[in-house]
């Protein structure tokens, strides 16, 4: 918290040119706001600035949560009886856009919208259209549970969303319902098919593997991905939030174990491909058109090359998934309306707080008390 106060205090002093010497190449940027009449994104000048943290890592990927609410209650993500934020505490759509605009001006090249479930927030398609049009942004992606894709896949594609990640932990309808508590498997599969029909390619499935719950379905999920030309990532469960539904230590299933299961049926080929995220990719000799990713926060952490920060729907900039280092950017926006240079200075200063790594452990200790839906999945 001390560091947060230092940063907020430094924002309140006048901004001088030396503050940005190492971060800015293009100085005279215009920053139109498409939510205001008479402005258009094409008027902006592309930024050549970059964000560098204290370990010389370039930070050019932002994950933005647009809501903490969700129509599922996945057992590894949240408690069954969740208390969600009152609406007055969450960022408005215009504030989310302004924050995206500020990050892109500082060299962010990829933004992923997350939740909760982002597609249940009213106005999200329009927000996607505005963010996708930001000059300098190479890719706008979205992570979803798939429940709303039947009706929203085409509008999202037309809005400029480039890629989708869809959570899918089981192909058994009863088990899927147990793991999500409320989800309808058929609705999600229909949504995945709707995304393909809308024109999305390289859609990726995200599967959290849990020992004794869905580890026996790994190759069935791979086969499902092959049949539908989908990439798929297998994820080790992350110790976020206090849960009582299961023991994380007992349910842990490592990426190495997943690969061993896959190798029983397929031939894995290591790959150097990257999508700017934490997945380490492999290909299959039997199906070289799809990629298999492994996200291994426990067994093979990806901290050394981390290029990401996260923004919660409350406006907290989280510098690390597994730590509480954060800066309240909502406070900066609301204290200095119409002063984008204040926001950019706060973002630059925040990079000093980004730690080198998280310290997740395979046990039932709660290392971070916020749930994944609060973090931005």
């Amino acid at each position: 918290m001390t560091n947060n106060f230092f940063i907020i205090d430094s924002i309140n002093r006048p901004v001088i040119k030396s503050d940005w010497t190492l971060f800015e190449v293009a100085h005279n940027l215009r920053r139109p706001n498409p939510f205001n009449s008479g402005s258009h994104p094409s008027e902006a000048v592309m930024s050549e600035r970059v964000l560098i943290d204290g370990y010389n890592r370039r930070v050019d990927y932002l994950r933005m949560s647009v809501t903490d609410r969700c129509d599922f209650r996945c057992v590894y993500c949240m408690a069954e009886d969740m208390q969600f934020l009152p609406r007055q505490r969450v960022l408005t759509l215009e504030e989310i856009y302004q924050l995206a605009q500020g990050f892109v001006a500082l060299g962010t090249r990829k933004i992923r919208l997350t939740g909760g479930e982002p597609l249940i927030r009213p106005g999200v398609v329009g927000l996607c259209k505005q963010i996708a049009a930001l000059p300098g942004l190479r890719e706008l992606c979205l992570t979803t549970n798939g429940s709303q894709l039947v009706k929203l896949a085409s509008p999202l594609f037309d809005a400029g969303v480039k890629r989708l990640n869809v959570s899918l932990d089981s192909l058994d309808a009863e088990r899927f319902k147990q793991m999500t508590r409320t989800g309808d498997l058929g609705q999600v599969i229909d949504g995945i098919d709707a995304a393909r029909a809308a024109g999305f390619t390289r859609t990726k499935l995200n599967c959290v593997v849990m020992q004794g719950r869905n580890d026996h379905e790994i190759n069935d999920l791979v086969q499902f991905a092959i049949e539908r030309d989908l990439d798929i990532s297998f994820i080790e469960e992350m110790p976020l939030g206090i849960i009582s539904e299961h023991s994380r230590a007992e349910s842990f299933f490592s990426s190495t174990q997943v690969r061993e299961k896959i190798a029983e049926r397929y031939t894995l080929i290591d790959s150097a491909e990257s999508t700017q995220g934490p997945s380490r990719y492999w290909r299959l000799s039997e199906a070289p058109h799809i990629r298999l990713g492994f996200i291994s926060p426990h067994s093979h952490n990806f901290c050394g090359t981390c290029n990401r920060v996260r923004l919660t729907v409350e406006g907290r900039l989280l510098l690390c998934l597994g730590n509480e280092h954060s800066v309240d950017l909502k406070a900066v926006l609301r204290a200095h309306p119409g002063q984008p240079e204040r926001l950019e200075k706060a973002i630059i200063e925040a990079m000093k707080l980004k730690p080198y790594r998280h310290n997740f452990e395979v046990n039932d200790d709660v290392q971070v008390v916020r749930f994944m839906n609060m973090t931005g999945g």
Side-chain angles (χ1 to χ4, degrees), residues 71-143:
D71 50 348
F72 290 4
R73 298 288 186 274
C74 296
V75 296
Y76 51 79
C77 183
M78 63 177 76
E80 186 170 8
D81 184 22
M82 285 295 296
Q83 297 296 316
F84 297 110
L85 292 170
R87 297 189 187 279
Q88 62 268 27
R89 285 179 57 186
V90 306
L91 295 166
T92 67
L93 293 179
E94 182 172 356
E95 287 172 331
I96 293 172
Y97 173 77
Q98 290 172 345
L99 287 160
Q101 193 177 34
F103 272 92
V104 172
L106 292 170
T108 293
R109 294 295 170 254
K110 177 179 177 180
I111 291 177
R112 177 175 295 281
L113 300 184
T114 69
E117 171 47 49
L119 297 186
I120 66 172
R121 173 136 190 197
V124 70
V125 174
L127 176 67
C128 288
K129 185 175 182 179
Q130 302 295 352
I131 294 176
L134 285 170
L137 184 68
R138 294 182 186 141
E139 190 175 42
L140 175 64
C141 305
L142 186 141
T143 294

Side-chain angles (χ1 to χ4, degrees), residues 179-366:
M179 293 186 72
T180 62
R181 294 191 176 106
T182 61
D184 181 334
L185 176 63
Q187 185 180 21
V188 172
I189 291 177
D190 288 346
I192 292 168
D193 293 339
R196 183 176 182 181
F200 282 103
T201 58
R202 298 249 73 103
T203 296
K204 182 163 73 76
L205 304 178
N206 283 339
C207 174
V208 176
V209 183
M210 301 175 68
Q211 176 103 8
R213 194 73 70 100
N214 64 343
D215 55 299
H216 64 287
E217 290 194 72
I218 289 169
N219 282 324
D220 292 337
L221 286 158
V222 172
Q223 185 61 38
F224 179 87
I226 292 171
E227 291 170 354
R228 283 172 164 78
D229 294 321
L230 305 167
D231 294 339
I232 182 168
S233 281
F234 294 99
I235 305 171
E236 295 175 350
E237 184 179 3
M238 300 183 189
L240 302 180
I242 300 171
I243 61 170
S244 58
E245 195 272 346
H246 64 278
S247 163
R248 286 179 171 138
E250 293 176 4
S251 67
F252 178 71
F253 203 82
S254 73
S255 293
T256 299
Q257 290 173 287
V258 175
R259 283 192 292 272
E260 289 171 353
K261 284 269 192 181
I262 295 171
E264 294 173 2
R265 189 184 300 184
Y266 301 100
T267 306
L268 285 159
I269 304 170
D270 199 357
S271 171
E273 295 170 88
S274 172
T275 56
Q276 280 191 284
S279 279
R280 295 176 178 174
Y281 284 101
W282 297 63
R283 294 272 183 170
L284 299 175
S285 294
E286 296 82 357
H289 59 290
I290 76 161
R291 294 179 296 201
L292 273 68
F294 298 89
I295 300 178
S296 317
H298 294 281
S299 60
H300 298 90
N301 81 64
F302 34 78
C303 302
T305 57
C306 184
N307 63 338
R308 298 168 297 286
V309 290
R310 295 168 183 259
L311 187 76
T312 74
V313 74
E314 284 187 283
R316 287 176 61 206
L317 179 64
L318 298 175
L319 284 305
C320 174
L321 175 66
N323 288 280
E324 293 292 2
H325 304 70
S326 68
V327 174
D328 187 354
L329 294 184
K330 180 177 68 177
V332 179
L333 269 182
R334 295 182 179 179
H336 304 284
Q339 299 182 58
E341 67 277 5
R342 298 284 188 178
L343 174 63
E344 292 173 8
K345 180 172 175 55
I347 295 169
I348 291 168
E349 292 280 350
M351 294 303 109
K352 299 174 183 176
L353 295 182
K354 186 169 174 62
Y356 182 71
R357 59 163 297 168
H358 63 246
N359 291 288
F360 289 155
E361 296 181 7
V362 183
N363 55 40
D364 286 322
D365 292 341
V366 177

